[in-house]
Amino acid sequence: MTAHKSGDPTTLNRLYGRAKGKPLRAGQQALVDNLLPQIAVPLEGPVTSALLFGDDRPMHFEIGFGGGEHMAGRADMLPSHGFIGAEPFINGVAQALTHVAGDNGASPPLANVRIHHGDALEVLARIPDASLSFLYLLHPDPWPKARHAKRRMMNDGPVDMFAAKLKPGGEFRFGTDHDIYLRHALMVMQRHTDQFEWLCDKPQDFQVRPGGWPETRYETKARTVYGHEVWYFRYRRK
Ligand SMILES: C[S@@+](CC[C@H](N)C(=O)[O-])C[C@H]1O[C@@H](n2cnc3c(N)ncnc32)[C@H](O)[C@@H]1O
């Protein structure tokens, strides 16, 4: 592990936005009450493929899945892989559950998704080292003020943990539409070149959405409503 200054990476920072938004619709509340307990990540103990999925299938982990569109899209693409997502925003969890249940009509029910309603780093810490095939961090909360930079998910402590949890050859995907975050993230990743190889030969590699990277509602809005550019990064664990 690279030695860097960092805070305790497993402490959930103060939330950037709201933890709860509009009241859940009855159907969403029913999914939270009935489906979530069936597919929730256990609250303690190791988090392994065998425990969650009953076999040693490749594991994917998504930090802060928002409404869950990317996680559900990937899980639909790779039905024999296992997906774990963590999100503290209950409305996001409820939306993700509609994808898992197939209630939105966009995808069939998904048997290969497990959800944690809460801090991603708390769950990640319980995943044995060198277990993950893919790790996703898409449009993390920006915390744009310099004095809040330590609250950004992309920091040395969490990145060391990402490196530890990925298998050699595993992939870390990061996306952002926030230029301050972009600069910060590139600086952080530059300090982790002993752990990660940036899969990039030409500017298009980070300017154009790579295949197998479903767009979320958040990102569609960033592009189409706010006119933001979006940057995509793929790093291979060495
Ligand atoms: C800007 S949104 C992006 C959502 C989604 N990744 C997307 O691209 O559509 C950032 C998300 O990160 C979540 N988040 C913030 N801190 C988190 C943490 N410690 N663990 C898990 N998710 C977190 C927020 O609740 C929010 O849903």
Side-chain angles (χ1 to χ4, degrees):
M1 242 191 214
T2 320
H4 297 297
K5 275 204 287 181
S6 62
D8 174 1
T10 63
T11 305
L12 179 59
N13 292 323
R14 216 153 49 78
L15 281 178
Y16 181 71
R18 303 162 298 173
K20 196 163 186 265
K22 283 189 282 189
L24 301 182
R25 293 194 301 273
Q28 290 180 322
Q29 187 63 54
L31 289 172
V32 168
D33 293 341
N34 303 319
L35 178 57
L36 183 57
Q38 295 174 41
I39 63 164
V41 177
L43 290 176
E44 36 190 57
V47 175
T48 64
S49 207
L51 214 115
L52 294 187
F53 304 103
D55 51 32
D56 64 349
R57 64 183 66 196
M59 264 203 305
H60 300 231
F61 189 92
E62 184 161 338
I63 298 172
F65 54 70
E69 302 89 355
H70 173 274
M71 178 173 65
R74 290 289 284 164
D76 189 27
M77 266 175 222
L78 297 165
S80 61
H81 292 205
F83 288 78
I84 307 171
E87 171 56 61
F89 188 52
I90 188 64
N91 300 66
V93 169
Q95 250 180 321
L97 290 170
T98 64
H99 295 291
V100 173
D103 284 0
N104 61 344
S107 59
L110 299 165
N112 57 338
V113 175
R114 301 291 180 270
I115 288 179
H116 176 66
H117 173 211
D119 181 13
L121 295 183
E122 188 276 310
V123 177
L124 198 56
R126 290 189 281 126
I127 294 179
D129 285 357
S131 301
L132 293 177
S133 297
F134 281 87
L135 178 65
Y136 309 99
L137 175 62
L138 307 180
H139 304 279
D141 287 334
W143 294 103
K145 292 182 182 156
R147 68 190 160 89
H148 290 152
K150 276 191 291 209
R151 295 182 184 174
R152 296 175 190 151
M153 186 59 78
M154 190 69 114
N155 263 310
D156 293 319
V159 171
D160 274 337
M161 203 199 291
F162 303 165
K165 303 304 172 183
L166 278 164
K167 293 179 177 186
E171 197 171 308
F172 169 43
R173 293 188 178 180
F174 161 67
T176 188
D177 63 310
H178 198 283
D179 53 358
I180 294 175
Y181 208 101
L182 170 73
R183 280 198 296 276
H184 172 85
L186 287 176
M187 241 164 47
V188 171
M189 290 308 288
Q190 195 52 41
R191 295 198 287 266
H192 292 261
T193 50
D194 55 333
Q195 297 163 323
F196 288 103
E197 175 195 0
W198 183 13
L199 301 176
C200 178
D201 295 324
K202 51 190 185 308
Q204 286 95 313
D205 292 340
F206 62 89
Q207 289 170 333
V208 179
R209 162 189 306 288
W213 188 315
E215 187 169 65
T216 64
R217 277 177 55 190
Y218 172 91
E219 186 178 321
T220 309
K221 194 167 167 187
R223 281 194 309 102
T224 60
V225 178
Y226 303 120
H228 287 181
E229 204 172 335
V230 180
W231 299 283
Y232 310 90
F233 296 88
R234 296 172 55 218
Y235 293 94
R236 183 182 295 133
R237 176 70 170 106
K238 287 185 175 169

